[in-house]
Amino acid sequence: MTQELVSLTIIMAVAAVSPIVAQLIPGKFIPQTVLLLAAGTALGPYGLGVIEVNDAVKLLNELGMAFLFLLAGYEIDPKRLAGHQGKVGLLTWGITLGLAWLVVTFLPFFTKQGINGVATVIALTTTALGTLMPILKERNLEGTPIGDAIISYGTWGELGPILAMAILLSTRTGWQTMLVLGAFLAICLLCAMLPTKALRTGHRLYRFLTENANTSSQTLMRLTTFLLIFLVTISALFELDAVLGAFAAGFILRYIIPDGSKSLEMKLEGVGYGFLIPVFFVVSGAAINVRAVAGRPALLVAFIVMLMLIRAVPVYLALSLDKRKNPLSSHHRVTVALYCTTALPIIVAVTSLAVKVGTMQSDTASTLVAAGAITVFLMPLLGSITYQVADVHPVTAVREIAHTPSDWRTIVREHAQVRALLHHQDRLKRLAETLESLEKQEGLNGLDSRRAELVERARLEIDRQLKELGLDPQLTTQLPHNYRYPKN
């Protein structure tokens, strides 16, 4: 027990220090997740060896992964899945799966590496939506057109591989697999329908649960935790991956509470991001054999390149072909595609399962997990860069400078002003929507009145900036993201 406590103490010390270090890094371009993975690699069995991945730590690691996928499933709006962008996201993921199968099956490189199996195909189609959500919140992308697109395409990048793992990696025959999945689906439907029926009828049990949700009983939190562990246990009994049960629990929770619950969300995020999820990322890092990865640099680089070609390119093309419904600039489409190529938790799950059944070597699994860990750092970084430069319209600026080189300072300044203006408009729009919803619910109190005053000030500031740019505020109140200066 002493060694378990020592390992857990070190893991939680890393978890506590990581956000502080991330905040101190200039530009804040390294997500906390990357620091957790790096620390796990350095302190784990293949590094300094001060973290021992024993049974107790493994259990907390499984619970951390379960909470990560619970929160990922909870973020999914069923209406978004059934909507236009959700359907396009599903079609795009299907194309991605087909491309991955063709590449892994017929490209000689993967055959020589001995990883031309189904596990590699699934790993190449993933999006780490659960990992991306805190990054999107940190970068104020949640609720923006870019954030919505990332979630829509990323949802199928997480849900699709989970279903593919259950079907394609099963050791049962086809009809047995379908029977087991049917039984699991029936249990999930039962878990979703009973609370929904109690909610609609106003059952006494439901009233008791809601009235005691924020007392020492913490009834809703306990029931949510029970639902999570119950479905993860059912997954284990049915010999399905725990990821499926955890994701289903989050999806069911969103179905039961379609409008969400801020109180419950704060508690789930407190337990998840405050304790269990950092354990998962540190232990995932500890599973990376640095020597094995260093011995196969070609596989590491090739896997990351294949992820970008197989996952990012189809997402970019889908957004480009769907411009009427998703009028994003080319830079922003690149941003969405890069974020959707972030992949780690599913890679950890699928490679662990492949190693367990003997279809993949542990050294190969370490390399693929390391590649996934690199994407958690690399893809959001590249996406952030494209997002930052998108509204500056660098190509247009270069053309204007080439036309009148003497005005280069003015041109650069004006393009930067437009980018700042668009950024303020995004924030203003989100704040106005929040105030509008508050007005409908409860009316404005003193604090919200001050916020409304800030909104009005922001509008006046935008009008002032528009006038400085020589634009009429009455005609350009909603400056589009694909705004271009007229040529000089």
Side-chain angles (χ1 to χ4, degrees):
M1 181 59 71
T2 302
Q3 183 57 48
E4 285 87 344
L5 289 173
V6 169
S7 296
L8 184 58
T9 299
I10 295 171
I11 290 172
M12 294 316 299
V14 169
V17 171
S18 292
I20 300 173
V21 175
Q23 184 73 18
L24 293 175
I25 295 174
K28 304 175 187 176
F29 63 93
I30 300 181
Q32 298 176 34
T33 303
V34 175
L35 299 177
L36 294 171
L37 290 165
T41 304
L43 302 176
Y46 301 105
L48 297 177
V50 294
I51 294 177
E52 181 181 319
V53 185
N54 43 53
D55 290 340
V57 173
K58 286 180 180 178
L59 176 60
L60 291 175
N61 173 57
E62 289 291 325
L63 288 175
M65 184 168 65
F67 257 86
L68 181 67
F69 281 97
L70 168 77
L71 292 170
Y74 180 73
E75 292 289 347
I76 295 174
D77 184 355
K79 294 179 181 177
R80 179 176 287 160
L81 283 179
H84 172 77
Q85 203 167 45
K87 293 175 182 176
V88 175
L90 173 59
L91 178 61
T92 304
W93 182 80
I95 294 172
T96 299
L97 182 66
L99 287 174
W101 180 80
L102 289 172
V103 168
V104 172
T105 302
F106 296 105
L107 196 66
F109 175 81
F110 286 97
T111 304
K112 291 179 182 178
Q113 297 291 329
I115 54 169
N116 57 338
V118 176
T120 309
V121 172
I122 295 173
L124 284 168
T125 66
T126 65
T127 296
L129 184 62
T131 305
L132 281 176
M133 288 311 301
I135 296 175
L136 296 181
K137 291 177 182 178
E138 288 173 7
R139 297 180 178 179
N140 296 316
L141 289 174
E142 192 178 29
T144 66
I146 293 174
D148 290 342
I150 293 171
I151 293 174
S152 294
Y153 284 87
T155 293
W156 286 109
E158 191 137 62
L159 179 57
I162 289 172
L163 296 175
M165 285 173 60
I167 297 171
L168 301 178
L169 293 180
S170 175
T171 56
R172 304 181 182 91
T173 59
W175 69 269
Q176 288 176 329
T177 299
M178 292 298 107
L179 186 63
V180 168
L181 287 176
F184 180 78
L185 177 61
I187 293 172
C188 290
L189 290 174
L190 187 64
C191 291
M193 296 306 296
L194 287 178
T196 305
K197 187 175 181 180
L199 171 62
R200 290 173 181 170
T201 59
H203 195 274
R204 284 184 299 174
L205 177 60
Y206 172 76
R207 292 198 301 273
F208 170 80
L209 294 175
T210 53
E211 289 170 0
N212 290 274
N214 294 314
T215 66
S216 59
S217 299
Q218 293 293 321
T219 48
L220 288 181
M221 183 63 186
R222 292 185 188 185
L223 274 178
T224 301
T225 307
F226 166 72
L227 174 66
L228 171 64
I229 295 177
F230 172 71
L231 289 180
V232 168
T233 303
I234 293 296
S235 299
L237 292 174
F238 285 179
E239 296 182 3
L240 299 169
D241 197 271
V243 167
L244 180 62
F247 200 83
F251 199 74
I252 290 170
L253 188 62
R254 171 59 72 180
Y255 177 79
I256 296 171
I257 316 174
D259 296 326
S261 169
K262 291 295 181 183
S263 175
L264 181 61
E265 290 168 22
M266 289 181 64
K267 293 169 188 175
L268 289 173
E269 290 179 355
V271 175
Y273 293 118
F275 176 34
L276 294 171
I277 293 175
V279 174
F280 166 70
F281 283 119
V282 173
V283 174
S284 296
I288 297 175
N289 186 340
V290 181
R291 292 181 181 177
V293 174
R296 308 183 73 174
L299 176 59
L300 180 73
V301 174
F303 191 79
I304 295 173
V305 171
M306 285 297 109
L307 271 172
M308 296 183 71
L309 293 176
I310 291 172
R311 185 67 182 139
V313 172
V315 170
Y316 177 83
L317 292 176
L319 287 167
S320 300
L321 295 173
D322 195 36
K323 286 176 68 174
R324 288 188 178 181
K325 296 288 185 178
N326 299 291
L328 297 176
S329 69
S330 59
H331 291 81
H332 287 159
R333 295 197 295 274
V334 172
T335 298
V336 173
L338 288 169
Y339 272 101
C340 286
T341 314
T342 305
L344 179 67
I346 292 290
I347 294 179
V348 173
V350 74
T351 54
S352 298
L353 186 58
V355 170
K356 189 182 297 183
V357 299
T359 58
M360 183 180 291
Q361 297 179 355
S362 59
D363 287 356
T364 303
S366 284
T367 305
L368 299 190
V369 171
I374 290 172
T375 65
V376 175
F377 163 70
L378 182 62
M379 300 308 168
L381 174 62
L382 295 177
S384 177
I385 292 172
T386 58
Y387 179 71
Q388 293 292 328
V389 304
D391 295 323
V392 180
H393 305 302
V395 176
T396 305
V398 169
R399 289 174 181 171
E400 293 174 0
I401 292 171
H403 187 267
T404 53
S406 59
D407 293 338
W408 70 270
R409 289 187 178 86
T410 302
I411 293 170
V412 170
R413 184 177 69 253
E414 288 179 345
H415 279 259
Q417 284 178 325
V418 168
R419 181 198 166 279
L421 178 62
L422 291 171
H423 178 68
H424 287 311
Q425 279 197 325
D426 278 342
R427 296 182 63 185
L428 173 63
K429 182 180 178 181
R430 291 198 296 271
L431 184 56
E433 289 174 351
T434 302
L435 289 170
E436 184 179 353
S437 64
L438 288 171
E439 287 175 344
K440 290 179 180 178
Q441 292 174 7
E442 301 175 356
L444 291 172
N445 55 30
L447 177 61
D448 293 324
S449 297
R450 288 195 293 273
R451 291 173 66 186
E453 184 181 346
L454 289 175
V455 171
E456 186 59 32
R457 282 187 188 176
R459 287 178 177 148
L460 293 174
E461 175 63 18
I462 285 178
D463 288 349
R464 185 187 66 78
Q465 291 187 35
L466 284 168
K467 290 176 181 177
E468 285 185 359
L469 293 171
L471 301 172
D472 185 352
Q474 300 300 320
L475 301 177
T476 54
T477 53
Q478 293 296 322
L479 195 62
H481 280 277
N482 60 353
Y483 174 79
R484 295 291 188 276
Y485 282 98
K487 292 184 178 179
N488 294 330

